[in-house]
């Protein structure tokens, strides 16, 4: 989906939970990845190929958790500049 110079790409989330969502927002050379889990159970975080969280900055999170598991109802936003 493109709106002007902003592109939004939804990803099929191959998590253990169907209530998990992920999409990428790209604009002005920056990338923002949004990951959300809308479930009461924990969900294993699996990123699409090419996304390395070691080079990203975690700019928003709903839980005090940065591991490879999303807690119930957790959301995170990562930035690549």
């Amino acid at each position: 989906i493109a709106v002007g110079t902003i592109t939004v790409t939804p990803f099929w989330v191959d998590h253990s939970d169907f209530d998990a969502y992920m999409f990428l927002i790209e604009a002005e050379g920056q990338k923002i990845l949004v990951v959300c889990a809308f479930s009461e159970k924990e969900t294993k975080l699996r990123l699409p190929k090419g996304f390395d969280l070691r080079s990203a900055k975690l700019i928003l999170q709903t839980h005090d958790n940065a591991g490879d598991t999303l807690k119930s109802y957790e959301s995170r936003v990562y930035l690549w500049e």
Side-chain angles (χ1 to χ4, degrees):
I1 301 169
V3 179
T5 60
I6 300 172
T7 303
V8 178
T9 306
F11 287 97
W12 171 255
V13 180
D14 187 20
H15 292 163
S16 57
D17 188 349
F18 289 107
D19 292 326
Y21 301 91
M22 182 182 306
F23 59 92
L24 177 69
I25 302 169
E26 297 177 273
E28 299 180 10
Q30 296 182 336
K31 295 180 181 182
I32 293 177
L33 184 69
V34 179
V35 182
C36 305
F38 297 102
S39 174
E40 291 185 10
K41 64 181 182 177
E42 290 186 357
T43 302
K44 178 81 173 165
L45 176 61
R46 293 184 184 97
L47 297 175
K49 287 185 178 183
F51 288 92
D52 183 1
L53 294 183
R54 294 174 293 184
S55 62
K57 180 179 180 182
L58 181 59
I59 60 172
L60 180 68
Q61 66 189 88
T62 58
H63 292 61
D64 187 22
N65 173 42
D68 64 352
T69 301
L70 295 171
K71 302 290 184 186
S72 61
Y73 301 104
E74 181 177 5
S75 295
R76 297 184 201 162
V77 179
Y78 295 96
L79 170 67
W80 286 266
E81 296 184 279

